[in-house]
């Protein structure tokens, strides 16, 4: 065995028998307000290769969009068609990317993080060690949901940011022509893109709350993620069946497309407010469901 | 010091019933403060389930328990920061380094001072001999190193009680010895140590107290000398005339005499062993071998349960 091996081989290193010096024991003051746990969660989420790769995939859509549109300009379609307006203002690359990714990619990204939140820790066994530290179960769920919400906002902002950067580089900025026909200046236009992005980020976070709940039911994070994606797709399908129109406004995804209402003059707040209330409702109900499920669950994993 | 404070762990009728079976059956575990308590039993006897209940990970079906004199799980926020635990093997994030994993554990502890995290993490890693491998990913760790890391996790903060579930699993003989020393040094610091094991001999050497579990029941517990006293030393005579030897032993007052081929064994009682050989020689019985054996914990376990130290179903 070489000297280098000796230095790293644990068997070669005897355990130390120094006395613990930090007595007396009961002098460990409680920190009532601390963001350490949340920051640790965010480091876990954003430091993980898989999640970084996921964010990379999310960025591909605006890039592809911007490049393909420079190659061939699409014909105008119908509805809130941001795609047709891309060449007039680069900001529309961000909006088009959001409307493409909101059906699957962004919900999948949020679903992955939410599915992992409890089930991932249970799966590798770290959950029991967190609880033994101790971390109160309510605090655990609160921090996990805060981290999901932050991830959701960051992922959505990331798509917008890449879209805006690519769009401005290839098509330039300037006055923005609204869906309602009028025009606004570049500054207000950027502000509206940011508001639309935050709106969608909050919508995805409510899906994340559903994911958090499902994550307390299983020890298989992938299963929880798949369940979130299925619910998301199911919601879009139900939303497209006219016979179920009575149900539509209650579906978690129904108001997501309302983010386009930020680009009317004036902003059409009705749908957006309904969207935010729906998101808040889903978030509250499913966070409480997660709490009811998890607060006295036996942790055997 | 209030009543009940003399025990670091005290359970009363603690029971856990899973749908099909009773995993832990009304046990009254008493771990005196300052003791090293060996919690023994074969795999599946209910040790880990008991430990999970102690830490509040699972809810007892009935019964209650106190840790460090405080009722659980009601006071877990006050008590658990003083308890270091290793439950059912190590568990860490595989894609983080050992150091990052310990920092993660420390960051969720509301009693931990972030200014001292680095020093405490390094100190804990050093104490289990992992400092040189601190920046390796957990994924790359061997089972023995993982076990050490889990022990390091219990040493991040000063503890009054350590609950170590099978701490020597996966360790080589050298590592096992080191863990034994570590347990001893923790006890010297004044901590109470509850250590579970399915390897009887391993625990025997460090414990002051033992408790024996079998199919969910706590068969016996107490200071190791008292528990051992239940089974007395036995004399073992090797001879080619076992029947005659047995007669002599019986006359001397030995009890529980068993004759096997060429060997006679009897319980010594108050008799001084020297007298036996003299009496045998005096009676003309040839003695080819003689020994006085203190029963091992394994023998004790067999005598308590009537069966071997096997997995209970």
């Amino acid at each position: 065995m070489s000297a280098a091996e000796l230095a790293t081989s644990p068997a070669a290193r005897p355990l130390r028998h120094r006395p613990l010096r930090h007595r007396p024991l009961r002098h460990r003051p409680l920190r009532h307000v601390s963001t350490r746990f949340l920051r640790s969660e965010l480091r876990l989420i954003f430091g993980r290769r898989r999640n970084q790769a996921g964010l990379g995939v999310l960025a591909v859509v605006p890039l592809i969009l911007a490049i393909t549109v420079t190659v061939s300009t699409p014909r105008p379609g119908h509805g809130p068609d941001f795609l047709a307006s891309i060449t007039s203002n680069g900001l529309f690359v961000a909006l088009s990317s959001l409307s493409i990714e909101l059906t699957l990619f962004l919900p999948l990204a949020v679903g992955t993080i939410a599915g992992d939140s409890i089930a991932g820790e249970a799966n590798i066994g770290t959950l029991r060690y967190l609880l033994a530290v101790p971390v109160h179960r309510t605090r655990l769920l609160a921090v996990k949901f805060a981290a999901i919400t932050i991830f959701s906002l960051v992922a959505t902002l990331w798509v917008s940011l890449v879209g805006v950067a690519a769009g401005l580089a290839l098509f330039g900025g300037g006055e923005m022509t609204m869906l309602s026909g009028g025009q606004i200046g570049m500054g207000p236009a950027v502000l509206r893109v940011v508001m639309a992005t935050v709106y969608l980020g909050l919508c995805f976070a409510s899906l994340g709350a559903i994911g958090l709940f499902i994550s307390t039911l299983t020890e298989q994070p992938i299963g929880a993620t798949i369940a979130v994606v299925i619910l998301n797709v199911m919601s879009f399908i139900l939303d497209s069946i006219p016979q179920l129109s009575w149900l539509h406004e209650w579906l978690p995804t129904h108001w997501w497309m309302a983010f386009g209402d930020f680009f009317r003059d004036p902003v059409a707040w009705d749908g957006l407010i309904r969207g935010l209330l729906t998101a808040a409702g889903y978030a509250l109900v499913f966070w409480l469901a997660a709490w009811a499920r998890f607060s006295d669950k036996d942790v055997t994993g | 010091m209030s009543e009940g404070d003399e025990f670091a762990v005290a359970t009363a009728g603690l029971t856990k019933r899973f749908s099909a079976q009773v995993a832990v059956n009304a046990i009254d575990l008493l771990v005196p403060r300052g003791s090293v308590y060996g919690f023994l039993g074969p795999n599946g006897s209910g040790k880990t389930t008991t430990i999970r209940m102690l830490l509040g990970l699972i809810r007892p079906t009935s019964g209650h328990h106190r840790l460090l004199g405080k009722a659980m799980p009601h006071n877990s926020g006050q008590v658990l920061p003083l308890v270091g635990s290793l439950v059912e093997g190590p568990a860490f994030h595989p894609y983080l380094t050992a150091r990052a994993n310990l920092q993660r554990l420390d960051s969720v502890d509301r009693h931990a001072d972030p200014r001292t995290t680095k020093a405490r993490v390094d100190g804990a890693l050093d104490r289990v001999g992992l400092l040189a491998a601190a920046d390796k990913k957990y994924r790359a760790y061997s089972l023995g190193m993982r076990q050490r890391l889990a022990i390091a996790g219990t040493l991040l903060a000063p503890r009054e009680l350590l609950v170590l579930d099978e701490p020597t699993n996966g360790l080589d003989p050298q590592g096992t010895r080191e863990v034994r020393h570590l347990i001893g040094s923790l006890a010297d610091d004044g901590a109470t140590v509850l250590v579970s094991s399915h390897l009887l001999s391993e625990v025997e050497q460090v414990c002051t107290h033992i408790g024996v579990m079998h199919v969910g029941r706590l068969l016996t517990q107490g200071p190791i000398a008292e528990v051992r006293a239940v089974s007395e030393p036995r004399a073992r005579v090797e001879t080619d005339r076992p029947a005659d030897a047995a007669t002599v032993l019986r006359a001397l007052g030995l009890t529980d005499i068993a004759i096997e081929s060429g060997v006679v064994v009897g319980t010594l009682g108050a008799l001084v062993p020297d007298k036996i050989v003299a009496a045998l020689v005096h009676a003309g019985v040839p003695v080819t071998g003689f020994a006085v054996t203190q029963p091992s914990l394994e023998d004790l376990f067999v005598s308590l349960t009537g069966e071997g130290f096997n997995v209970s179903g």
Side-chain angles (χ1 to χ4, degrees), chain A residues 7 13 15-16 18 20 23 25 28 31 36-37 40-41 121 124 128-129 137 139 298-300, chain B residues 16 52 57 59 81 87-89 91 104 106-111 117 127-128 132 158 160 178 189:
Chain A
R13 297 282 322 275
L15 297 170
R16 297 300 165 86
R18 276 174 309 164
L20 288 167
R23 323 212 104 215
L25 295 185
R28 287 214 298 151
R31 284 159 190 272
R36 276 188 89 198
F37 187 6
S40 166
E41 276 301 310
E121 304 267 12
I124 59 174
R128 63 177 181 268
Y129 285 104
R137 294 181 185 211
R139 176 171 166 241
D298 280 356
V299 173
T300 52
Chain B
K16 182 65 184 182
R52 282 179 179 283
L57 296 174
R59 194 166 274 257
V87 199
E88 210 171 66
R104 155 83 174 165
D106 196 65
S107 70
V108 305
D109 181 357
R110 291 205 297 166
H111 291 271
T117 298
R127 201 155 178 200
V128 298
E160 291 189 7
E178 288 171 12
D189 292 345

Side-chain angles (χ1 to χ4, degrees), chain A residues 7-20 22-26 28-34 36-37 40-41 43-44 47-49 116 121 124-135 137 139-140 144 295-301, chain B residues 16 33 52 56-59 70 76-77 80-82 85-96 103-115 117 123 126-130 132 145 148 157-160 172 174 178-179 181-182 185 189:
Chain A
T8 53
S9 162
R13 297 282 322 275
L15 297 170
R16 297 300 165 86
H17 303 138
R18 276 174 309 164
L20 288 167
H22 11 238
R23 323 212 104 215
L25 295 185
R26 291 193 187 263
R28 287 214 298 151
L30 176 70
R31 284 159 190 272
H32 288 282
V33 180
S34 167
R36 276 188 89 198
F37 187 6
S40 166
E41 276 301 310
R43 265 198 300 277
L44 272 186
R48 189 167 174 183
R49 285 281 171 75
D116 227 16
E121 304 267 12
I124 59 174
T126 45
L127 182 58
R128 63 177 181 268
Y129 285 104
L130 287 180
L131 297 179
V133 161
V135 175
R137 294 181 185 211
R139 176 171 166 241
L140 181 65
K144 287 287 185 184
S295 60
D296 66 348
K297 187 192 182 191
D298 280 356
V299 173
T300 52
Chain B
K16 182 65 184 182
R33 278 196 190 247
R52 282 179 179 283
L57 296 174
I58 62 178
R59 194 166 274 257
K70 292 206 164 66
S76 52
L80 290 183
L82 300 169
S85 52
L86 194 168
V87 199
E88 210 171 66
F92 291 96
H93 293 279
Y95 45 88
L96 293 184
Q103 281 164 348
R104 155 83 174 165
L105 267 185
D106 196 65
S107 70
V108 305
D109 181 357
R110 291 205 297 166
H111 291 271
D113 183 350
R115 288 166 302 184
T117 298
D126 193 25
R127 201 155 178 200
V128 298
L130 282 181
M145 292 164 88
R148 285 162 185 257
R159 312 289 190 189
E160 291 189 7
D172 53 22
Q174 169 70 13
E178 288 171 12
V179 166
H181 284 145
L182 182 65
S185 75
D189 292 345

Side-chain angles (χ1 to χ4, degrees), chain A residues 201-237:
Chain A
L202 294 174
C203 288
F204 299 140
S206 79
L207 187 70
I210 300 177
L212 177 70
F213 167 64
I214 297 170
S215 191
T216 63
L217 304 177
T218 172
E219 287 179 11
Q220 295 302 326
I222 297 291
T225 300
I226 291 171
V228 172
V229 171
I230 287 175
L231 280 176
N232 173 63
V233 171
M234 194 73 86
S235 175
F236 274 110
I237 292 172

